[in-house]
Amino acid sequence: MSASELRRRVRAAEALKAKTREMAAANVLTAREAAVKAAKAKEEADVTAREAAAVVLRLFGNDAELVSELLGVPAEELEREAKPVTAARAREIIEELRAHAERPRSTRPRKPRPDAAGAASATSGVPAPAVTTDDSRADAA
């Protein structure tokens, strides 16, 4: 093997090492970013769970035993989760829930299907015969 071939191979090995280091560093950065996002999502979920516990206890007159039985969660755990939530925040969430419940639901106008509209007017009160082409579906019904 010539000296130039040896130098070329050494340069190729060094380039491969550098590329591997770059990929490893990028991998670490990506993993850290994902971990930060996951931690933030977990914290938001924890806050939401604590607020929900406080709200349900408040709505049920702070009857932790009743709520515990309804939800299948130990009363101590409910009380512990609800404790950090202020009464003002619980009232605020309850108001948001009530406002949401009072909002009229938006319904899209439905267009009658051409098959259903034509069949309904043609039969005019006569029940349509049940037609099944697959015996397994008829058995399942």
Side-chain angles (χ1 to χ4, degrees), residues 1 7 35 46 48 58 68-69 76 79 91 102 110 114 124:
M1 181 180 316
R7 283 192 297 270
D46 287 345
T48 302
R58 188 168 183 87
S68 172
E69 288 178 28
E76 298 81 25
E79 291 171 339
R91 280 192 304 269
E102 291 172 355
R110 296 185 182 185
S124 67

Side-chain angles (χ1 to χ4, degrees), residues 33-56:
E33 288 171 2
V36 167
K37 284 181 183 177
K40 185 177 179 182
K42 182 189 180 307
E43 180 59 31
E44 289 174 3
D46 287 345
V47 167
T48 302
R50 286 192 298 269
E51 289 176 345
V55 165
V56 75

Side-chain angles (χ1 to χ4, degrees), residues 1 5 7-9 11 18 31 49 53 62 76-78 84 89 99 102 105 118 121-122 129 137 141:
M1 181 180 316
E5 177 65 19
R7 283 192 297 270
R8 188 189 67 73
R9 286 188 179 188
R11 281 193 304 271
N62 288 324
E76 298 81 25
E77 185 177 332
L78 282 171
R89 178 63 183 145
E102 291 172 355
R105 295 182 182 235
S121 63
R137 287 186 187 166

